[in-house]
Amino acid sequence: MAIESAEQALQILHIEDSPADQGLTRIILRRAGMACQIHPVDTLEALQKALLDQSFDLILADYHLPGFTAVDALALVAPLDTRPPFVLLSGAIGEAAAVDIMRLGMTDFLRKEDIARLPTVIKHALEMHEAYRAREQAVAELAQSERRLAELAEHLQSSIEKERAAIAREIHDDIGGSLTSVKFDLAWITRNAPADQPLHAHAVAALEMLQHALGASQRIMMNLRPPVLDQGLVAAVQWLAESFERRTGVAVQMRTSSERIAASPEVQLVAYRCAQEALTNIGKYAEASRVEIDLSDREGFLTLEVSDNGVGMTPAQREKPRSFGLRGLHERARTVDGWLDVSSQPGNGTSIIVSVPLPDH
């Protein structure tokens, strides 16, 4: 049945019960110079065997065959991992019916009276199939790339938090302890050195600088990994709100559904960091006079909302290059299967909502 013998010949499975139509198809493709091999079948059993025995580059099918139709044939082809393009070559159905059939997954339709166009239709079907496969591969590669980026982001966030905790412990145990010891020594000098001696004045100045260094180390340690998180998320966010209010003079109102929210340490840390980043952005850009924080664990979700009455943002400002604050919050939320929503309009403030599903208790 070979039209033309070639190592790279196109393998065509022809579902057709008419020997005359089989012969005409071979003649048309031969005259078009197509290097292909045609494998005719006319029963479902023969079709199943052919599909099991080898793979095909294209399937060409009449619609009505003894005991089955092209729709039945398509049902056998559809589950194949490498499904070839399926071209309907029939004169027994109308255009409308052919369109309905093609919606089931057929690649193209050609009337038998137009069989002279078959080589063109086959080439078009193969091109469409190749484009579809390339698109599927690109989508799969993109999805894989996004998964890898998400895994990398999660790994980086986890590594950063571990490093922050380690640095905070070092500041507390080593630097804080050393500075406190020096503070005691300087305090002893100020108490025992005569007040009118230069040593006393130097000791007092050094003690003031040391107190400043202690305060700075405590602030750095709290920003890295606040011990207040060990008291729960509500207490940690409350501390954030109070610190922000003292530092900026912007009034902060906080509401919570309960005094303690049961959530994993990972979820609490994500919510805390989101609140911290939101307040930092408000202090830098919002020009707000009021901030509201809502923290809830109702309906199986941990929800944190930080809103302000500041200048707001345009879509362009939110999407500007190298603006990683909000993108970082999105990635943080995604590491615990949560999501982040930002609502903002110029002149109407900004609202940032983080939602994370909580496990059933």
Side-chain angles (χ1 to χ4, degrees), residues 154-219:
E154 184 174 358
H155 172 72
L156 289 176
Q157 292 290 354
S158 176
S159 299
I160 289 171
E161 291 298 343
K162 288 178 181 178
E163 189 66 23
R164 282 179 166 179
I167 294 172
R169 283 194 299 270
E170 288 187 21
I171 291 175
H172 179 270
D173 298 340
D174 297 337
I175 298 176
S178 299
L179 291 177
T180 300
S181 297
V182 174
K183 179 182 177 181
F184 287 147
D185 290 338
L186 287 174
W188 185 89
I189 293 173
T190 58
R191 287 195 304 270
N192 292 278
D196 57 347
Q197 294 295 319
L199 179 62
H200 183 275
H202 282 295
V204 170
L207 190 60
E208 291 177 354
M209 291 297 296
L210 186 62
Q211 189 61 44
H212 175 77
L214 277 169
S217 67
Q218 289 174 352
R219 285 194 304 274

Side-chain angles (χ1 to χ4, degrees), residues 300-312:
F301 288 88
L302 170 65
T303 303
L304 169 73
E305 180 176 4
V306 182
S307 56
D308 66 73
N309 65 343
V311 297

Side-chain angles (χ1 to χ4, degrees), residues 63 70-71 74 88 93-94 96-106:
Y63 183 73
V71 175
L74 182 62
L88 184 63
I93 60 173
V99 171
D100 290 337
I101 294 169
M102 287 183 62
R103 287 174 180 162
L104 299 176
M106 293 187 185

Side-chain angles (χ1 to χ4, degrees), residues 78-132:
L80 296 178
D81 292 334
T82 55
R83 174 181 167 182
F86 196 112
V87 175
L88 184 63
L89 177 62
S90 178
I93 60 173
E95 293 282 355
V99 171
D100 290 337
I101 294 169
M102 287 183 62
R103 287 174 180 162
L104 299 176
M106 293 187 185
T107 309
D108 208 343
F109 166 66
L110 180 67
R111 290 179 176 276
K112 285 188 175 180
E113 53 262 38
D114 298 324
I115 196 171
R117 293 182 50 243
L118 182 58
T120 301
V121 170
I122 288 178
K123 290 177 182 178
H124 180 254
L126 292 171
E127 289 171 357
M128 287 179 58
H129 182 66
E130 187 60 33
Y132 178 77

